[in-house]
Amino acid sequence: MDKQRKLIIAGNWKMNKTVPDAVELASQLQTDLGKVTELDVVVCPPFTALSEVSRVLRASTMRVGAQNMSEHPYGAFTGEIAAGMLKDLLVRYVILGHSERRQFQNETDALVNAKMKAALAAGLKPIVCVGETFSQREAGQTEQIVGDQLTGSLAGLDAEPMQESILAYEPVWAIGTGRTATPEQAQQVHAFIRGWLSRRFDDTTARRVRIQYGGSVKPGNARELMGQPDIDGALVGGASLDAHTFIEIVRNSL
Ligand code: 13P
């Protein structure tokens, strides 16, 4: 299917992999996926492994992303990492507003919005995550919740930087649970998000922004998910920690 949007498959390693383990995984991926150009392949290791993984992937077509960053450019913010520091390590993408950070670090849409602007100002491509919980879905609030998250996270943004950004729909109930949204369920929300983009920005922007799906993506369900008209890639958690599995997901998405 020609969506005129290049698929983007990203592995979110979360808080996994020591530096030697990360180097080994990146090397394995590089061997198999290092020349892939039909779609964008990104890995997002923990901060501690970014430098070494960047080095391993330097000569490949694969790109490196971070899992979070500060909204500030520098200063007295103990324990934080600034966008410029990520740029130093050849990082191109940064995941923002992942539901685990919203849940465990109390990240709000306003904070995600500030981080997004800081990322774009530094030349990083943000991957902004949205998604409803199980009880919100059960209560029929999915579109309301996702719409509110988009309104807050993308506040004040112009169409041009929006087109450089990536959105990820990650239903919280599908993350790490083995319970994937069905392709139809995912497509429905992706179509809602694209309609939202069209109303908030314009048709061109809606047509250009890539929207990833995340939540228990596996080799067995990748093809069908990627075949949906408004799904433009995957944000893969658990299945990105094993080279063979992640390679299969990418291959099945081609
Ligand atoms: P799982 O693929 O482990 O469900 O995680 C999805 C995710 O949170 C990616 O950011």
Side-chain angles (χ1 to χ4, degrees):
M1 181 185 311
D2 182 14
K3 296 176 188 170
Q4 303 187 320
R5 288 182 296 273
K6 200 174 187 183
L7 289 183
I8 174 167
I9 311 286
N12 175 7
W13 296 1
K14 306 192 179 181
M15 198 174 71
N16 295 290
K17 304 291 177 188
T18 60
V19 173
D21 290 347
V23 166
E24 189 185 343
L25 176 54
S27 307
Q28 290 169 334
L29 295 175
Q30 199 273 133
T31 306
D32 224 271
L33 304 174
K35 292 190 167 62
V36 170
T37 53
E38 300 94 324
L39 46 74
D40 291 330
V41 184
V42 180
V43 290
C44 304
F47 286 129
T48 46
L50 282 174
S51 173
E52 285 297 295
V53 169
S54 273
R55 188 180 54 76
V56 171
L57 300 179
R58 194 162 41 199
S60 79
T61 55
M62 295 176 60
R63 295 287 175 257
V64 177
Q67 300 173 18
N68 176 40
M69 55 167 260
S70 170
E71 71 275 31
H72 302 290
Y74 58 84
F77 301 100
T78 303
E80 292 292 285
I81 306 280
M85 299 169 180
L86 299 175
K87 288 282 285 184
D88 268 356
L89 304 180
L90 307 178
V91 167
R92 305 286 185 93
Y93 295 86
V94 59
I95 299 170
L96 296 176
H98 190 282
S99 63
E100 286 151 15
R101 296 202 60 83
R102 291 177 186 267
Q103 185 181 349
F104 304 125
Q105 262 70 37
N106 301 317
E107 287 203 0
T108 60
D109 292 326
L111 182 60
V112 175
N113 183 241
K115 290 184 177 193
M116 190 186 185
K117 287 172 178 163
L120 286 162
L124 291 172
K125 286 183 190 296
I127 299 176
V128 177
C129 304
V130 296
E132 81 289 1
T133 63
F134 184 68
S135 57
Q136 289 165 339
R137 171 164 283 264
E138 287 287 282
Q141 297 169 339
T142 299
E143 293 189 353
Q144 178 69 46
I145 294 293
V146 170
D148 286 352
Q149 289 173 336
L150 291 170
T151 302
S153 304
L154 308 179
L157 209 70
D158 292 334
E160 213 171 302
M162 185 66 238
Q163 291 174 21
E164 294 299 308
S165 309
I166 291 139
L167 297 177
Y169 169 58
E170 298 208 314
V172 178
W173 49 271
I175 295 177
T177 57
R179 230 173 109 196
T180 328
T182 64
E184 294 74 26
Q185 279 175 323
Q187 164 57 27
Q188 202 170 22
V189 181
H190 281 238
F192 164 76
I193 293 173
R194 209 171 296 287
W196 186 94
L197 286 170
S198 171
R199 291 191 298 280
R200 162 69 173 80
F201 297 94
D202 50 63
D203 285 347
T204 308
T205 304
R207 209 166 38 244
R208 288 193 181 157
V209 172
R210 295 184 289 181
I211 310 171
Q212 295 177 307
Y213 168 78
S216 299
V217 175
K218 302 279 184 294
N221 58 26
R223 196 185 307 275
E224 211 186 343
L225 284 161
M226 296 312 118
Q228 300 301 312
D230 290 298
I231 299 184
D232 309 311
L235 189 51
V236 187
S240 71
L241 297 174
D242 174 75
H244 178 71
T245 319
F246 188 67
I247 289 164
E248 245 188 285
I249 290 174
V250 173
R251 294 273 165 221
N252 292 350
S253 303
L254 283 171

mmCIF file of all heavy atoms in Angstrom, residues 162-201:
data_model
loop_
_atom_site.group_PDB
_atom_site.id
_atom_site.type_symbol
_atom_site.label_atom_id
_atom_site.label_comp_id
_atom_site.label_asym_id
_atom_site.label_seq_id
_atom_site.Cartn_x
_atom_site.Cartn_y
_atom_site.Cartn_z
ATOM 1 N N MET A 162 5.481 20.549 13.220
ATOM 2 C CA MET A 162 4.636 19.370 13.420
ATOM 3 C C MET A 162 4.959 18.300 12.389
ATOM 4 O O MET A 162 5.002 17.106 12.699
ATOM 5 C CB MET A 162 3.149 19.775 13.329
ATOM 6 C CG MET A 162 2.181 18.637 13.637
ATOM 7 S SD MET A 162 2.270 18.082 15.353
ATOM 8 C CE MET A 162 2.669 16.347 15.174
ATOM 9 N N GLN A 163 5.192 18.734 11.173
ATOM 10 C CA GLN A 163 5.466 17.766 10.103
ATOM 11 C C GLN A 163 6.799 17.048 10.300
ATOM 12 O O GLN A 163 7.023 15.976 9.758
ATOM 13 C CB GLN A 163 5.441 18.480 8.741
ATOM 14 C CG GLN A 163 4.042 18.942 8.370
ATOM 15 C CD GLN A 163 4.009 19.788 7.099
ATOM 16 O OE1 GLN A 163 4.913 19.729 6.289
ATOM 17 N NE2 GLN A 163 2.957 20.576 6.952
ATOM 18 N N GLU A 164 7.694 17.656 11.102
ATOM 19 C CA GLU A 164 8.980 17.021 11.433
ATOM 20 C C GLU A 164 8.833 16.028 12.578
ATOM 21 O O GLU A 164 9.750 15.270 12.873
ATOM 22 C CB GLU A 164 9.995 18.088 11.888
ATOM 23 C CG GLU A 164 10.396 19.058 10.814
ATOM 24 C CD GLU A 164 11.055 18.337 9.664
ATOM 25 O OE1 GLU A 164 11.999 17.574 9.916
ATOM 26 O OE2 GLU A 164 10.590 18.512 8.523
ATOM 27 N N SER A 165 7.695 16.087 13.241
ATOM 28 C CA SER A 165 7.500 15.295 14.457
ATOM 29 C C SER A 165 6.761 14.003 14.147
ATOM 30 O O SER A 165 6.147 13.861 13.093
ATOM 31 C CB SER A 165 6.710 16.109 15.480
ATOM 32 O OG SER A 165 7.296 17.379 15.667
ATOM 33 N N ILE A 166 6.837 13.094 15.103
ATOM 34 C CA ILE A 166 6.176 11.803 14.948
ATOM 35 C C ILE A 166 5.246 11.622 16.135
ATOM 36 O O ILE A 166 5.575 12.051 17.250
ATOM 37 C CB ILE A 166 7.249 10.695 14.891
ATOM 38 C CG1 ILE A 166 8.032 10.826 13.573
ATOM 39 C CG2 ILE A 166 6.665 9.301 14.997
ATOM 40 C CD1 ILE A 166 9.470 10.603 13.720
ATOM 41 N N LEU A 167 4.092 11.046 15.890
ATOM 42 C CA LEU A 167 3.188 10.728 16.993
ATOM 43 C C LEU A 167 3.166 9.216 17.168
ATOM 44 O O LEU A 167 3.372 8.468 16.213
ATOM 45 C CB LEU A 167 1.769 11.233 16.688
ATOM 46 C CG LEU A 167 1.620 12.758 16.540
ATOM 47 C CD1 LEU A 167 0.181 13.113 16.158
ATOM 48 C CD2 LEU A 167 2.019 13.474 17.828
ATOM 49 N N ALA A 168 2.942 8.788 18.399
ATOM 50 C CA ALA A 168 2.812 7.355 18.655
ATOM 51 C C ALA A 168 1.539 7.125 19.454
ATOM 52 O O ALA A 168 1.368 7.707 20.538
ATOM 53 C CB ALA A 168 4.021 6.826 19.416
ATOM 54 N N TYR A 169 0.643 6.325 18.893
ATOM 55 C CA TYR A 169 -0.548 5.933 19.642
ATOM 56 C C TYR A 169 -0.226 4.644 20.389
ATOM 57 O O TYR A 169 0.017 3.606 19.770
ATOM 58 C CB TYR A 169 -1.751 5.727 18.718
ATOM 59 C CG TYR A 169 -2.914 5.071 19.427
ATOM 60 C CD1 TYR A 169 -3.470 5.663 20.566
ATOM 61 C CD2 TYR A 169 -3.448 3.857 18.990
ATOM 62 C CE1 TYR A 169 -4.513 5.055 21.248
ATOM 63 C CE2 TYR A 169 -4.499 3.250 19.665
ATOM 64 C CZ TYR A 169 -5.020 3.851 20.793
ATOM 65 O OH TYR A 169 -6.057 3.247 21.472
ATOM 66 N N GLU A 170 -0.195 4.758 21.707
ATOM 67 C CA GLU A 170 0.103 3.598 22.534
ATOM 68 C C GLU A 170 -0.992 3.423 23.582
ATOM 69 O O GLU A 170 -0.941 4.064 24.641
ATOM 70 C CB GLU A 170 1.452 3.775 23.245
ATOM 71 C CG GLU A 170 2.635 3.889 22.325
ATOM 72 C CD GLU A 170 3.918 3.385 22.987
ATOM 73 O OE1 GLU A 170 4.179 3.744 24.153
ATOM 74 O OE2 GLU A 170 4.625 2.605 22.343
ATOM 75 N N PRO A 171 -1.992 2.594 23.293
ATOM 76 C CA PRO A 171 -3.010 2.349 24.314
ATOM 77 C C PRO A 171 -2.343 1.708 25.538
ATOM 78 O O PRO A 171 -1.642 0.709 25.401
ATOM 79 C CB PRO A 171 -3.981 1.386 23.629
ATOM 80 C CG PRO A 171 -3.283 0.849 22.428
ATOM 81 C CD PRO A 171 -2.199 1.807 22.063
ATOM 82 N N VAL A 172 -2.542 2.329 26.694
ATOM 83 C CA VAL A 172 -1.823 1.897 27.901
ATOM 84 C C VAL A 172 -2.105 0.428 28.211
ATOM 85 O O VAL A 172 -1.216 -0.315 28.626
ATOM 86 C CB VAL A 172 -2.219 2.811 29.096
ATOM 87 C CG1 VAL A 172 -1.535 2.365 30.381
ATOM 88 C CG2 VAL A 172 -1.859 4.261 28.803
ATOM 89 N N TRP A 173 -3.314 -0.007 27.922
ATOM 90 C CA TRP A 173 -3.716 -1.382 28.230
ATOM 91 C C TRP A 173 -3.043 -2.409 27.327
ATOM 92 O O TRP A 173 -3.097 -3.605 27.585
ATOM 93 C CB TRP A 173 -5.240 -1.531 28.146
ATOM 94 C CG TRP A 173 -5.833 -0.966 26.888
ATOM 95 C CD1 TRP A 173 -6.263 0.318 26.698
ATOM 96 C CD2 TRP A 173 -6.048 -1.640 25.646
ATOM 97 N NE1 TRP A 173 -6.734 0.484 25.425
ATOM 98 C CE2 TRP A 173 -6.619 -0.706 24.753
ATOM 99 C CE3 TRP A 173 -5.845 -2.951 25.217
ATOM 100 C CZ2 TRP A 173 -6.964 -1.029 23.449
ATOM 101 C CZ3 TRP A 173 -6.184 -3.271 23.903
ATOM 102 C CH2 TRP A 173 -6.730 -2.319 23.039
ATOM 103 N N ALA A 174 -2.388 -1.948 26.287
ATOM 104 C CA ALA A 174 -1.724 -2.879 25.358
ATOM 105 C C ALA A 174 -0.210 -2.921 25.572
ATOM 106 O O ALA A 174 0.478 -3.699 24.926
ATOM 107 C CB ALA A 174 -2.026 -2.484 23.918
ATOM 108 N N ILE A 175 0.295 -2.092 26.483
ATOM 109 C CA ILE A 175 1.747 -1.998 26.667
ATOM 110 C C ILE A 175 2.230 -3.079 27.628
ATOM 111 O O ILE A 175 1.817 -3.131 28.784
ATOM 112 C CB ILE A 175 2.143 -0.598 27.197
ATOM 113 C CG1 ILE A 175 1.827 0.467 26.147
ATOM 114 C CG2 ILE A 175 3.623 -0.568 27.567
ATOM 115 C CD1 ILE A 175 2.106 1.885 26.598
ATOM 116 N N GLY A 176 3.088 -3.941 27.124
ATOM 117 C CA GLY A 176 3.707 -4.979 27.953
ATOM 118 C C GLY A 176 2.729 -6.029 28.448
ATOM 119 O O GLY A 176 3.041 -6.798 29.350
ATOM 120 N N THR A 177 1.543 -6.060 27.873
ATOM 121 C CA THR A 177 0.510 -6.975 28.371
ATOM 122 C C THR A 177 0.296 -8.153 27.433
ATOM 123 O O THR A 177 -0.390 -9.104 27.788
ATOM 124 C CB THR A 177 -0.847 -6.240 28.477
ATOM 125 O OG1 THR A 177 -1.167 -5.697 27.184
ATOM 126 C CG2 THR A 177 -0.775 -5.112 29.490
ATOM 127 N N GLY A 178 0.879 -8.076 26.237
ATOM 128 C CA GLY A 178 0.618 -9.107 25.236
ATOM 129 C C GLY A 178 -0.755 -8.930 24.600
ATOM 130 O O GLY A 178 -1.184 -9.717 23.769
ATOM 131 N N ARG A 179 -1.435 -7.872 25.018
ATOM 132 C CA ARG A 179 -2.787 -7.617 24.521
ATOM 133 C C ARG A 179 -2.744 -6.490 23.497
ATOM 134 O O ARG A 179 -2.896 -5.320 23.843
ATOM 135 C CB ARG A 179 -3.648 -7.189 25.710
ATOM 136 C CG ARG A 179 -4.934 -7.959 25.779
ATOM 137 C CD ARG A 179 -5.633 -7.626 27.034
ATOM 138 N NE ARG A 179 -6.796 -6.822 26.762
ATOM 139 C CZ ARG A 179 -7.429 -6.131 27.672
ATOM 140 N NH1 ARG A 179 -6.980 -6.102 28.908
ATOM 141 N NH2 ARG A 179 -8.497 -5.461 27.360
ATOM 142 N N THR A 180 -2.512 -6.843 22.251
ATOM 143 C CA THR A 180 -2.418 -5.816 21.204
ATOM 144 C C THR A 180 -3.808 -5.297 20.879
ATOM 145 O O THR A 180 -4.778 -6.052 20.906
ATOM 146 C CB THR A 180 -1.890 -6.431 19.891
ATOM 147 O OG1 THR A 180 -1.009 -7.462 20.219
ATOM 148 C CG2 THR A 180 -1.231 -5.409 19.022
ATOM 149 N N ALA A 181 -3.865 -4.019 20.537
ATOM 150 C CA ALA A 181 -5.111 -3.529 19.935
ATOM 151 C C ALA A 181 -5.281 -4.277 18.620
ATOM 152 O O ALA A 181 -4.299 -4.583 17.957
ATOM 153 C CB ALA A 181 -5.000 -2.030 19.683
ATOM 154 N N THR A 182 -6.486 -4.596 18.250
ATOM 155 C CA THR A 182 -6.686 -5.222 16.943
ATOM 156 C C THR A 182 -6.330 -4.173 15.880
ATOM 157 O O THR A 182 -6.385 -2.965 16.157
ATOM 158 C CB THR A 182 -8.151 -5.642 16.733
ATOM 159 O OG1 THR A 182 -8.962 -4.456 16.734
ATOM 160 C CG2 THR A 182 -8.619 -6.598 17.814
ATOM 161 N N PRO A 183 -5.957 -4.615 14.690
ATOM 162 C CA PRO A 183 -5.652 -3.640 13.637
ATOM 163 C C PRO A 183 -6.796 -2.655 13.448
ATOM 164 O O PRO A 183 -6.574 -1.463 13.228
ATOM 165 C CB PRO A 183 -5.456 -4.525 12.404
ATOM 166 C CG PRO A 183 -5.012 -5.836 12.947
ATOM 167 C CD PRO A 183 -5.720 -6.001 14.249
ATOM 168 N N GLU A 184 -8.041 -3.112 13.587
ATOM 169 C CA GLU A 184 -9.203 -2.227 13.405
ATOM 170 C C GLU A 184 -9.287 -1.205 14.532
ATOM 171 O O GLU A 184 -9.556 -0.024 14.292
ATOM 172 C CB GLU A 184 -10.498 -3.043 13.357
ATOM 173 C CG GLU A 184 -10.634 -3.967 12.167
ATOM 174 C CD GLU A 184 -9.738 -5.220 12.255
ATOM 175 O OE1 GLU A 184 -9.393 -5.634 13.388
ATOM 176 O OE2 GLU A 184 -9.372 -5.763 11.202
ATOM 177 N N GLN A 185 -9.051 -1.673 15.771
ATOM 178 C CA GLN A 185 -9.090 -0.745 16.914
ATOM 179 C C GLN A 185 -8.011 0.324 16.764
ATOM 180 O O GLN A 185 -8.249 1.513 16.997
ATOM 181 C CB GLN A 185 -8.832 -1.508 18.230
ATOM 182 C CG GLN A 185 -10.036 -2.230 18.796
ATOM 183 C CD GLN A 185 -9.645 -3.053 20.017
ATOM 184 O OE1 GLN A 185 -8.562 -3.632 20.078
ATOM 185 N NE2 GLN A 185 -10.533 -3.125 20.996
ATOM 186 N N ALA A 186 -6.804 -0.117 16.380
ATOM 187 C CA ALA A 186 -5.692 0.828 16.226
ATOM 188 C C ALA A 186 -6.002 1.800 15.086
ATOM 189 O O ALA A 186 -5.883 3.022 15.252
ATOM 190 C CB ALA A 186 -4.392 0.083 15.964
ATOM 191 N N GLN A 187 -6.409 1.272 13.949
ATOM 192 C CA GLN A 187 -6.694 2.111 12.777
ATOM 193 C C GLN A 187 -7.739 3.185 13.110
ATOM 194 O O GLN A 187 -7.611 4.335 12.694
ATOM 195 C CB GLN A 187 -7.173 1.239 11.601
ATOM 196 C CG GLN A 187 -7.851 1.975 10.448
ATOM 197 C CD GLN A 187 -6.987 3.076 9.807
ATOM 198 O OE1 GLN A 187 -5.764 3.005 9.848
ATOM 199 N NE2 GLN A 187 -7.630 4.101 9.258
ATOM 200 N N GLN A 188 -8.743 2.796 13.889
ATOM 201 C CA GLN A 188 -9.803 3.736 14.239
ATOM 202 C C GLN A 188 -9.230 4.958 14.976
ATOM 203 O O GLN A 188 -9.569 6.098 14.669
ATOM 204 C CB GLN A 188 -10.804 3.013 15.135
ATOM 205 C CG GLN A 188 -12.163 3.636 15.167
ATOM 206 C CD GLN A 188 -13.164 2.739 15.884
ATOM 207 O OE1 GLN A 188 -12.783 1.879 16.694
ATOM 208 N NE2 GLN A 188 -14.428 2.941 15.612
ATOM 209 N N VAL A 189 -8.336 4.706 15.936
ATOM 210 C CA VAL A 189 -7.764 5.819 16.694
ATOM 211 C C VAL A 189 -6.771 6.601 15.829
ATOM 212 O O VAL A 189 -6.720 7.833 15.878
ATOM 213 C CB VAL A 189 -7.107 5.334 18.004
ATOM 214 C CG1 VAL A 189 -6.543 6.513 18.792
ATOM 215 C CG2 VAL A 189 -8.114 4.560 18.853
ATOM 216 N N HIS A 190 -5.993 5.883 15.011
ATOM 217 C CA HIS A 190 -5.058 6.570 14.105
ATOM 218 C C HIS A 190 -5.817 7.499 13.156
ATOM 219 O O HIS A 190 -5.384 8.627 12.896
ATOM 220 C CB HIS A 190 -4.222 5.555 13.309
ATOM 221 C CG HIS A 190 -3.087 4.969 14.102
ATOM 222 N ND1 HIS A 190 -1.774 5.062 13.723
ATOM 223 C CD2 HIS A 190 -3.094 4.303 15.273
ATOM 224 C CE1 HIS A 190 -1.008 4.473 14.635
ATOM 225 N NE2 HIS A 190 -1.784 3.993 15.578
ATOM 226 N N ALA A 191 -6.946 7.039 12.649
ATOM 227 C CA ALA A 191 -7.747 7.874 11.745
ATOM 228 C C ALA A 191 -8.281 9.086 12.507
ATOM 229 O O ALA A 191 -8.314 10.202 11.976
ATOM 230 C CB ALA A 191 -8.896 7.059 11.155
ATOM 231 N N PHE A 192 -8.671 8.868 13.755
ATOM 232 C CA PHE A 192 -9.134 9.990 14.585
ATOM 233 C C PHE A 192 -8.014 11.022 14.734
ATOM 234 O O PHE A 192 -8.236 12.233 14.601
ATOM 235 C CB PHE A 192 -9.597 9.491 15.964
ATOM 236 C CG PHE A 192 -9.723 10.601 16.966
ATOM 237 C CD1 PHE A 192 -10.808 11.475 16.914
ATOM 238 C CD2 PHE A 192 -8.751 10.803 17.932
ATOM 239 C CE1 PHE A 192 -10.911 12.533 17.818
ATOM 240 C CE2 PHE A 192 -8.847 11.853 18.834
ATOM 241 C CZ PHE A 192 -9.930 12.716 18.775
ATOM 242 N N ILE A 193 -6.787 10.522 15.028
ATOM 243 C CA ILE A 193 -5.638 11.426 15.226
ATOM 244 C C ILE A 193 -5.363 12.207 13.936
ATOM 245 O O ILE A 193 -5.126 13.413 13.962
ATOM 246 C CB ILE A 193 -4.385 10.638 15.668
ATOM 247 C CG1 ILE A 193 -4.606 10.044 17.065
ATOM 248 C CG2 ILE A 193 -3.137 11.530 15.642
ATOM 249 C CD1 ILE A 193 -3.509 9.095 17.543
ATOM 250 N N ARG A 194 -5.445 11.532 12.779
ATOM 251 C CA ARG A 194 -5.177 12.231 11.526
ATOM 252 C C ARG A 194 -6.249 13.293 11.263
ATOM 253 O O ARG A 194 -5.954 14.396 10.801
ATOM 254 C CB ARG A 194 -5.070 11.242 10.360
ATOM 255 C CG ARG A 194 -4.146 11.773 9.258
ATOM 256 C CD ARG A 194 -3.832 10.754 8.186
ATOM 257 N NE ARG A 194 -3.091 9.604 8.644
ATOM 258 C CZ ARG A 194 -1.793 9.615 8.976
ATOM 259 N NH1 ARG A 194 -1.107 10.720 8.910
ATOM 260 N NH2 ARG A 194 -1.196 8.522 9.397
ATOM 261 N N GLY A 195 -7.471 12.981 11.588
ATOM 262 C CA GLY A 195 -8.546 13.965 11.441
ATOM 263 C C GLY A 195 -8.317 15.155 12.369
ATOM 264 O O GLY A 195 -8.518 16.311 11.988
ATOM 265 N N TRP A 196 -7.855 14.838 13.575
ATOM 266 C CA TRP A 196 -7.558 15.890 14.549
ATOM 267 C C TRP A 196 -6.472 16.819 14.000
ATOM 268 O O TRP A 196 -6.576 18.048 14.097
ATOM 269 C CB TRP A 196 -7.131 15.248 15.873
ATOM 270 C CG TRP A 196 -6.942 16.223 16.994
ATOM 271 C CD1 TRP A 196 -7.853 16.596 17.940
ATOM 272 C CD2 TRP A 196 -5.748 16.986 17.267
ATOM 273 N NE1 TRP A 196 -7.307 17.540 18.785
ATOM 274 C CE2 TRP A 196 -6.024 17.785 18.389
ATOM 275 C CE3 TRP A 196 -4.495 17.066 16.678
ATOM 276 C CZ2 TRP A 196 -5.074 18.656 18.928
ATOM 277 C CZ3 TRP A 196 -3.552 17.935 17.210
ATOM 278 C CH2 TRP A 196 -3.844 18.716 18.329
ATOM 279 N N LEU A 197 -5.422 16.215 13.404
ATOM 280 C CA LEU A 197 -4.308 16.999 12.839
ATOM 281 C C LEU A 197 -4.802 17.907 11.718
ATOM 282 O O LEU A 197 -4.365 19.049 11.586
ATOM 283 C CB LEU A 197 -3.218 16.062 12.299
ATOM 284 C CG LEU A 197 -2.348 15.342 13.335
ATOM 285 C CD1 LEU A 197 -1.491 14.268 12.653
ATOM 286 C CD2 LEU A 197 -1.461 16.328 14.097
ATOM 287 N N SER A 198 -5.735 17.368 10.945
ATOM 288 C CA SER A 198 -6.267 18.139 9.829
ATOM 289 C C SER A 198 -7.032 19.359 10.343
ATOM 290 O O SER A 198 -6.915 20.456 9.788
ATOM 291 C CB SER A 198 -7.159 17.226 8.992
ATOM 292 O OG SER A 198 -7.832 17.963 8.046
ATOM 293 N N ARG A 199 -7.805 19.177 11.405
ATOM 294 C CA ARG A 199 -8.576 20.297 11.966
ATOM 295 C C ARG A 199 -7.657 21.301 12.675
ATOM 296 O O ARG A 199 -7.804 22.501 12.535
ATOM 297 C CB ARG A 199 -9.637 19.778 12.943
ATOM 298 C CG ARG A 199 -10.765 18.995 12.276
ATOM 299 C CD ARG A 199 -11.916 18.725 13.234
ATOM 300 N NE ARG A 199 -11.528 17.904 14.376
ATOM 301 C CZ ARG A 199 -11.409 16.579 14.341
ATOM 302 N NH1 ARG A 199 -11.651 15.922 13.218
ATOM 303 N NH2 ARG A 199 -11.060 15.902 15.406
ATOM 304 N N ARG A 200 -6.693 20.785 13.433
ATOM 305 C CA ARG A 200 -5.812 21.660 14.234
ATOM 306 C C ARG A 200 -4.764 22.368 13.361
ATOM 307 O O ARG A 200 -4.403 23.508 13.606
ATOM 308 C CB ARG A 200 -5.137 20.815 15.317
ATOM 309 C CG ARG A 200 -3.907 21.389 15.982
ATOM 310 C CD ARG A 200 -4.195 22.587 16.866
ATOM 311 N NE ARG A 200 -2.992 22.956 17.588
ATOM 312 C CZ ARG A 200 -1.994 23.663 17.061
ATOM 313 N NH1 ARG A 200 -2.066 24.087 15.819
ATOM 314 N NH2 ARG A 200 -0.926 23.959 17.789
ATOM 315 N N PHE A 201 -4.255 21.650 12.339
ATOM 316 C CA PHE A 201 -3.258 22.238 11.445
ATOM 317 C C PHE A 201 -3.887 22.403 10.054
ATOM 318 O O PHE A 201 -4.593 23.362 9.819
ATOM 319 C CB PHE A 201 -1.988 21.375 11.402
ATOM 320 C CG PHE A 201 -1.299 21.276 12.737
ATOM 321 C CD1 PHE A 201 -1.550 20.218 13.606
ATOM 322 C CD2 PHE A 201 -0.406 22.256 13.139
ATOM 323 C CE1 PHE A 201 -0.929 20.155 14.847
ATOM 324 C CE2 PHE A 201 0.226 22.197 14.384
ATOM 325 C CZ PHE A 201 -0.052 21.143 15.234
#
